[in-house]
Coordinates of all heavy atoms in Angstrom, one line a residue:
Chain R
E128 N 26.5 4.4 10.2 CA 25.8 3.9 11.4 C 24.6 3.1 11.0 O 24.0 2.5 11.9 CB 25.4 5.1 12.2 CG 24.4 6.0 11.5 CD 23.7 7.0 12.5 OE1 24.2 7.1 13.6 OE2 22.7 7.5 12.1
D129 N 24.2 3.1 9.7 CA 23.0 2.4 9.3 C 23.2 0.9 9.1 O 22.3 0.1 9.1 CB 22.4 3.0 8.0 CG 22.1 4.5 8.3 OD1 22.1 4.9 9.4 OD2 21.8 5.1 7.3
W130 N 24.4 0.5 8.8 CA 24.7 -0.9 8.5 C 24.5 -1.8 9.7 O 24.5 -1.2 10.8 CB 26.1 -1.1 8.0 CG 26.3 -0.4 6.6 CD1 27.0 0.7 6.5 CD2 25.9 -0.8 5.3 NE1 27.1 1.1 5.1 CE2 26.4 0.2 4.4 CE3 25.2 -1.9 4.8 CZ2 26.2 0.1 3.1 CZ3 24.9 -1.9 3.5 CH2 25.4 -1.0 2.6
S131 N 24.4 -3.1 9.5 CA 24.3 -3.9 10.7 C 25.1 -5.2 10.5 O 25.7 -5.4 9.4 CB 22.8 -4.4 10.8 OG 22.4 -5.2 9.7
F132 N 25.2 -5.9 11.6 CA 25.9 -7.2 11.4 C 25.5 -8.0 12.6 O 24.9 -7.5 13.6 CB 27.4 -7.1 11.4 CG 28.0 -6.4 12.7 CD1 28.2 -7.2 13.9 CD2 28.4 -5.1 12.6 CE1 28.7 -6.6 15.0 CE2 29.0 -4.5 13.8 CZ 29.1 -5.3 15.0
C133 N 25.7 -9.3 12.5 CA 25.6 -10.2 13.6 C 26.8 -11.2 13.6 O 26.9 -12.0 12.6 CB 24.2 -11.0 13.5 SG 23.9 -12.0 15.0
E134 N 27.6 -11.1 14.6 CA 28.8 -11.9 14.6 C 28.8 -12.9 15.7 O 28.5 -12.5 16.9 CB 30.1 -10.9 14.8 CG 30.5 -10.1 13.7 CD 31.2 -11.0 12.7 OE1 32.4 -11.2 12.9 OE2 30.6 -11.4 11.6
V135 N 29.0 -14.1 15.3 CA 29.0 -15.2 16.3 C 30.4 -15.3 16.9 O 31.4 -15.5 16.1 CB 28.6 -16.5 15.7 CG1 28.7 -17.7 16.7 CG2 27.1 -16.4 15.2
D136 N 30.6 -15.1 18.2 CA 31.9 -15.2 18.8 C 32.3 -16.6 19.2 O 33.4 -16.9 19.2 CB 32.0 -14.2 20.0 CG 31.9 -12.8 19.5 OD1 32.4 -12.4 18.4 OD2 31.2 -12.0 20.3
S137 N 31.3 -17.3 19.6 CA 31.6 -18.7 20.1 C 30.3 -19.5 19.8 O 29.2 -19.0 20.0 CB 32.1 -18.7 21.5 OG 31.0 -18.5 22.4
I138 N 30.6 -20.8 19.6 CA 29.5 -21.7 19.5 C 30.0 -23.1 20.1 O 31.0 -23.6 19.6 CB 28.8 -21.8 18.1 CG1 27.8 -22.9 18.1 CG2 29.9 -22.1 17.1 CD1 26.8 -22.9 16.9
R139 N 29.3 -23.5 21.1 CA 29.8 -24.8 21.7 C 28.6 -25.8 21.9 O 27.5 -25.4 22.2 CB 30.4 -24.4 23.1 CG 31.7 -23.8 23.0 CD 32.2 -23.5 24.4 NE 31.4 -22.5 25.0 CZ 31.9 -21.5 25.8 NH1 33.2 -21.5 26.1 NH2 31.1 -20.6 26.3
L140 N 29.0 -27.0 21.7 CA 28.1 -28.1 22.0 C 28.2 -28.5 23.4 O 29.3 -28.8 24.0 CB 28.4 -29.3 21.1 CG 27.5 -30.5 21.2 CD1 26.1 -30.2 20.7 CD2 28.1 -31.7 20.5
L141 N 27.1 -28.4 24.1 CA 27.1 -28.8 25.5 C 26.8 -30.2 25.7 O 25.9 -30.8 25.1 CB 26.0 -28.0 26.3 CG 26.1 -26.4 26.3 CD1 25.0 -25.8 27.1 CD2 27.5 -26.0 26.8
G142 N 27.6 -30.9 26.5 CA 27.4 -32.3 26.7 C 26.5 -32.5 27.9 O 26.3 -31.6 28.8
T143 N 25.9 -33.7 28.0 CA 25.0 -34.0 29.1 C 25.8 -34.1 30.4 O 25.2 -34.1 31.5 CB 24.3 -35.3 28.8 OG1 25.2 -36.3 28.5 CG2 23.3 -35.1 27.6
E144 N 27.1 -34.3 30.4 CA 27.8 -34.4 31.7 C 28.8 -33.3 31.9 O 29.9 -33.4 32.4 CB 28.5 -35.8 31.7 CG 27.6 -36.9 31.7 CD 28.3 -38.3 31.6 OE1 29.5 -38.3 31.7 OE2 27.5 -39.3 31.6
G145 N 28.4 -32.1 31.3 CA 29.3 -30.9 31.6 C 30.4 -30.7 30.5 O 31.0 -29.7 30.5
G146 N 30.6 -31.7 29.7 CA 31.6 -31.5 28.7 C 31.1 -30.6 27.6 O 30.0 -30.4 27.4
E147 N 32.1 -30.0 26.9 CA 31.7 -29.0 25.8 C 32.6 -29.3 24.6 O 33.7 -29.8 24.8 CB 32.0 -27.6 26.3 CG 31.0 -27.1 27.3 CD 31.3 -25.6 27.7 OE1 32.3 -25.1 27.1 OE2 30.6 -25.1 28.5
T148 N 32.0 -29.1 23.4 CA 32.8 -29.2 22.2 C 32.7 -27.9 21.5 O 31.6 -27.3 21.3 CB 32.2 -30.3 21.3 OG1 32.1 -31.5 22.1 CG2 33.1 -30.5 20.1
D149 N 33.9 -27.3 21.2 CA 33.9 -26.1 20.5 C 33.6 -26.3 19.0 O 34.3 -27.1 18.4 CB 35.3 -25.5 20.6 CG 35.4 -24.1 20.0 OD1 34.4 -23.6 19.5 OD2 36.5 -23.5 19.9
L150 N 32.6 -25.7 18.5 CA 32.2 -25.9 17.1 C 32.7 -24.9 16.2 O 32.5 -24.9 15.0 CB 30.6 -25.9 17.1 CG 29.9 -27.0 17.9 CD1 28.4 -26.9 17.8 CD2 30.3 -28.4 17.5
M151 N 33.4 -23.9 16.7 CA 33.8 -22.8 15.9 C 34.8 -23.3 14.8 O 34.8 -22.7 13.7 CB 34.6 -21.7 16.7 CG 33.6 -20.7 17.4 SD 32.4 -20.0 16.3 CE 33.3 -18.6 15.6
P152 N 35.6 -24.3 15.0 CA 36.5 -24.7 13.9 C 35.8 -25.0 12.6 O 36.3 -24.9 11.5 CB 37.3 -25.9 14.5 CG 37.3 -25.6 16.0 CD 35.9 -24.9 16.3

Side-chain angles (χ1 to χ4, degrees):
Chain R
E128 63 166 14
D129 299 351
W130 298 102
S131 65
F132 61 78
C133 186
E134 283 285 282
V135 175
D136 295 325
S137 72
I138 176 166
R139 284 178 293 214
L140 179 69
L141 301 181
T143 52
E144 294 177 2
E147 290 181 356
T148 306
D149 184 3
L150 300 178
M151 280 307 276

